[in-house]
Amino acid sequence: MSKIPSISTHVLNIAEGKPGVNIPVSLEYLENDFIMVAQGVTNEDGRVGEWLSELKTGTYRIRFEIKQYFADRDEQCFYPYVEIVFTVSDTQSHYHVPLLLSPYGYSTYRGS
């Protein structure tokens, strides 16, 4: 069974080994400049579900607002936000873009 064409994300706080809950996230598409096409907040599992009912080929950017997330835990962080830019080349595919996060670093990859 194939997945519905969409973009999704989740955040894992690797310093705690727990989901990154209640983090504002926005999805943007590059035309002449980036324009917002969707937004959400990570749920109790650190996820923002499938965004968009139709994908377009091109460049997208996901922005995670993480400064307040760490402030709510009385932790300082080095990065106030994280932006991940990626390319959609197949509009019939599912694109899952996870963020692995700690107060002083982050990593990402194309998930499934």
Side-chain angles (χ1 to χ4, degrees):
M1 179 158 87
S2 63
K3 293 189 176 200
I4 296 170
S6 60
I7 297 171
S8 63
T9 189
H10 78 269
V11 179
L12 178 63
N13 181 333
I14 59 173
E16 295 181 0
K18 295 181 180 177
V21 177
N22 206 30
I23 298 174
V25 183
S26 59
L27 176 66
E28 302 170 319
Y29 179 77
L30 183 62
E31 288 188 4
N32 293 325
D33 198 1
F34 280 102
I35 57 167
M36 185 176 304
V37 294
Q39 57 187 351
V41 176
T42 57
N43 64 18
E44 293 298 315
D45 196 31
R47 296 180 181 274
V48 175
E50 296 173 350
W51 277 326
L52 305 178
S53 57
E54 255 184 66
L55 294 181
K56 296 193 282 185
T57 59
T59 302
Y60 288 81
R61 176 170 68 188
I62 301 177
R63 180 177 169 124
F64 302 83
E65 302 292 339
I66 61 172
K67 183 177 182 177
Q68 189 61 49
Y69 169 78
F70 285 109
D72 290 346
R73 286 158 180 66
D74 294 322
E75 293 183 66
Q76 291 186 345
C77 70
F78 187 68
Y79 301 100
Y81 60 87
V82 173
E83 292 181 332
I84 301 170
V85 179
F86 61 98
T87 302
V88 167
S89 57
D90 178 2
T91 60
Q92 298 305 304
S93 290
H94 173 72
Y95 292 83
H96 185 64
V97 185
L99 176 64
L100 305 177
L101 183 62
S102 76
Y104 295 97
Y106 65 88
S107 179
T108 186
Y109 57 95
R110 179 169 180 190
S112 57

